[in-house]
Amino acid sequence: GDSVTQMEGPVTLSEEAFLTINCTYTATGYPSLFWYVQYPGEGLQLLLKATKADDKGSNKGFEATYRKETTSFHLEKGSVQVSDSAVYFCALRSGTYKYIFGTGTRLKVLA
Amino acid sequence: DTAVSQTPKYLVTQMGNDKSIKCEQNLGHDTMYWYKQDSKKFLKIMFSYNNKELIINETVPNRFSPKSPDKAHLNLHINSLELGDSAVYFCASSHEMGLASGLGTYEQYFGPGTRLTVT
């Protein structure tokens, strides 16, 4: 079946460091891909999305490119801030109504 | 205005009790979901409703019974609570109709969560 695999955390970085969180997927057809962020004590919020191959989603300095040839959707940010500390979820929309989430990667940014 | 709201935010109860969690969305979406998030942050879908009709019912004990009185509300009732039910429960919504025509936005909007603790 369809699945999402993302790197295990926690990821600990110093402020202004470069961030990459890897995400790969397995799916039939052409899924839509998402990154969600969950801040402590809150629900998930959509961070960015891409709906077809080679699309680049971007928001708040974060970027991810839909790579069909490598079935990947890695999340990147050039310079992280303490306020980016959160849990990040990669997800795909696998057919109507069904969304599959990765296991989440906790990011901790130190001042 | 909160897009997806849940009540209560915290729920502490004893084993064997019956409890309900309520969810409302004011986004005009046609599909709503319940997810369970365990202590390791793993997110598992439980149910999905489209226009008040059950669409997805994952392998969930039948002690869990969702009810959708209208497409803006999806409630979750849990009978005979067990220790293993302790988790954070998230409601979410999305707009699925019209996607074939290129309309619709695909993404889900989540509520703030209900932390259920069973003692």
Side-chain angles (χ1 to χ4, degrees):
Chain A
D2 297 347
S3 65
V4 173
T5 302
Q6 60 181 108
M7 62 190 287
E8 286 195 29
V11 174
T12 303
L13 296 173
S14 298
E15 209 165 21
E16 299 184 4
F18 184 87
L19 168 71
T20 300
I21 300 178
N22 290 336
C23 172
T24 56
Y25 67 90
T26 302
T28 54
Y30 302 93
S32 294
L33 301 173
F34 310 88
W35 276 101
Y36 286 83
V37 58
Q38 184 179 25
Y39 298 104
E42 298 184 11
L44 280 71
Q45 303 172 29
L46 179 69
L47 182 59
L48 52 84
K49 68 179 181 182
T51 58
K52 60 183 187 297
D54 300 325
D55 267 3
K56 177 186 279 189
S58 60
N59 186 25
K60 300 181 182 178
F62 290 90
E63 292 183 340
T65 301
Y66 189 143
R67 302 280 188 206
K68 189 163 178 60
E69 63 277 11
T70 54
T71 61
S72 65
F73 192 55
H74 304 322
L75 182 68
E76 296 182 336
K77 186 175 186 183
S79 175
V80 293
Q81 305 301 312
V82 172
S83 58
D84 293 326
S85 298
V87 180
Y88 292 81
F89 291 89
C90 185
L92 67 81
R93 182 176 175 274
S94 170
T96 308
Y97 312 120
K98 193 158 186 183
Y99 296 75
I100 296 172
F101 285 79
T103 52
T105 301
R106 184 181 299 276
L107 170 66
K108 185 173 182 180
V109 181
L110 304 175
Chain B
D1 266 352
T2 303
V4 182
S5 59
Q6 296 178 229
T7 54
K9 189 167 175 62
Y10 299 97
L11 186 53
V12 181
T13 189
Q14 291 184 326
M15 283 174 52
N17 285 348
D18 303 338
K19 291 293 179 185
S20 291
I21 307 171
K22 295 186 176 182
C23 178
E24 175 181 3
Q25 55 95 4
N26 63 6
L27 297 166
H29 287 167
D30 57 12
T31 306
M32 296 183 73
Y33 311 79
W34 277 112
Y35 286 88
K36 179 180 180 181
Q37 186 176 49
D38 64 23
S39 58
K40 295 185 177 180
K41 300 295 185 182
F42 182 70
L43 202 63
K44 178 183 164 122
I45 189 164
M46 301 173 70
F47 302 103
S48 155
Y49 269 75
N50 175 262
N51 285 326
K52 303 193 299 176
E53 288 191 25
L54 181 64
I55 301 295
I56 291 174
N57 182 353
E58 293 294 318
T59 307
V60 175
N62 58 15
R63 298 182 294 105
F64 291 79
S65 52
K67 282 192 170 48
S68 182
D70 55 62
K71 67 177 188 177
H73 295 84
L74 179 62
N75 304 323
L76 183 65
H77 187 75
I78 316 170
N79 289 327
S80 303
L81 278 154
E82 300 178 357
L83 292 176
D85 297 332
S86 295
V88 181
Y89 292 83
F90 287 101
C91 178
S93 71
S94 68
H95 194 71
E96 301 287 321
M97 284 182 62
L99 291 180
S101 65
L103 301 175
T105 56
Y106 297 99
E107 63 262 27
Q108 294 183 314
Y109 290 78
F110 283 78
T114 296
R115 181 175 295 276
L116 172 64
T117 303
V118 182
T119 61

